[in-house]
Each structure stands twice: as structure tokens, then as C-alpha cells.
Amino acid sequence: MIKSKLVIVVLLSLSIISCDDKQVFDQYQAVSEAWEIDEKVSFALPELDSLQTYNLFVNIRNNNEYRFSNLFLISEMKFPNGKVLTDTLEYEMAKPSGEWLGSGFSDLKENKLWYKENIRFVEEGVYTITLQHAMRKNGDTNGVTSLEGVTDVGFRIEHAQNP
């Protein structure tokens, strides 16, 4: 049953990607059974045209084992010159009714979450994006050490305007 769901997701993803003229970069990394608090997911970005503007997205795939209505992330964008820009991000993952946001059928949902808009990559060299979760239960000062229900973490870059 899980294999058939995976095949369907892969086929749908391939059909969507093949008609996507805005896509510049789209990569996922699978998370093991739970996304550990010290587990950082990194993406080395391709060399990008410094004259173009881009929209950046964090992609999250989750299933019904995810027990929260939101998601807190710490993001780091490392520039080729060594500068690091760190952001704390919060995303809604479910409606107040408990219904998952995102697209997909069955219990696997894919969320395309805004990260940055109209960005130019003016420095030559490799930019690296690193993401880690920063979830906490209400009233608890310690973080959630093992975040269940997130299956994949991705990063996407699109042309801000059609090329």
C-alpha cells in the first residue's frame, strides 16, 4: 500500500514538474522516521543569473502523524562570501477545523511555503540553504526533540516573472 502511494506521488510530481516553466530548482530530502531537532537539512543552490529575480519556497510533505497545526523553522542562507542570514519562520499547516492545508490526496500533503520574494543572487559562488525545525509544545520551554509526521523537506526556486 505504501509503495503504491509512493509511485502515485512520484508520477504526479513528474507530471507537474514537466509543465512547470517557472521552476529553476526543486529538490527534496527525505526525513527518517522523525525529524530530529539537531538534524539540519541543507541545499546547495545552483549558480543563478544575478540579473534575474527569484521567489524562494520551503516545501514540506507531512502525513497524519504530524500532531501540530503550525510549523516553526530556523532557516540559514549562507552566502558565497561567508555571510549567514538567519530567520525564524512560522507556517500554518492546518485549518482551525484540523483539516490539513497543502495539496495531495490520502494522508500525504505537500505544502509550498513562501520563504523569500523577488530575491537576486548577486554574489558569484554557491549559496547554501539550511533548515531545521524549532517546534515546541505550548507552555514547554524544551523543544520537541523528534518531530513525527514530516516525511520530506524541500527547497524550491522559481523565476519571479516568466523568463
Side-chain angles (χ1 to χ4, degrees):
M1 177 123 179
I2 293 175
K3 287 184 181 182
S4 64
K5 287 181 185 179
L6 181 61
V7 170
I8 291 170
V9 168
V10 169
L11 290 175
L12 284 174
S13 298
L14 288 174
S15 66
I16 291 169
I17 289 171
S18 65
C19 337
D20 191 351
D21 63 346
K22 287 186 174 184
Q23 175 189 332
V24 175
F25 176 84
D26 197 6
Q27 190 176 86
Y28 282 87
Q29 292 185 30
V31 176
S32 55
E33 291 182 27
W35 190 4
E36 301 301 324
I37 193 153
D38 60 350
E39 180 182 356
K40 294 182 178 184
V41 179
S42 294
F43 301 92
L45 306 184
E47 295 265 345
L48 298 165
D49 185 343
S50 63
L51 301 177
Q52 293 286 321
T53 56
Y54 301 95
N55 294 328
L56 312 180
F57 301 89
V58 173
N59 292 331
I60 299 290
R61 290 184 184 133
N62 69 286
N63 60 32
N64 288 336
E65 291 178 30
Y66 192 74
R67 296 180 295 190
F68 301 93
S69 63
N70 63 352
L71 175 66
F72 284 93
L73 299 174
I74 305 293
S75 70
E76 292 181 350
M77 179 185 287
K78 185 174 182 183
F79 290 69
N81 69 5
K83 177 178 121 179
V84 177
L85 177 64
T86 303
D87 291 305
T88 301
L89 310 168
E90 179 184 12
Y91 298 106
E92 292 296 316
M93 300 296 285
K95 296 178 182 178
S97 66
E99 180 184 347
W100 291 121
L101 298 173
S103 60
F105 52 92
S106 74
D107 69 337
L108 186 64
K109 298 297 180 195
E110 184 164 346
N111 295 274
K112 181 178 172 183
L113 310 168
W114 278 99
Y115 175 52
K116 295 191 179 291
E117 189 173 17
N118 294 320
I119 299 298
R120 284 202 167 109
F121 293 89
V122 295
E123 294 180 19
E124 286 187 29
V126 176
Y127 288 77
T128 304
I129 303 295
T130 302
L131 302 167
Q132 71 182 113
H133 82 81
M135 293 299 294
R136 287 173 173 43
K137 293 180 181 175
N138 285 340
D140 192 352
T141 57
N142 297 322
V144 174
T145 57
S146 295
L147 185 61
E148 296 175 344
V150 173
T151 61
D152 301 277
V153 178
F155 195 78
R156 180 176 173 92
I157 301 174
E158 295 181 354
H159 289 283
Q161 299 91 13
N162 283 334

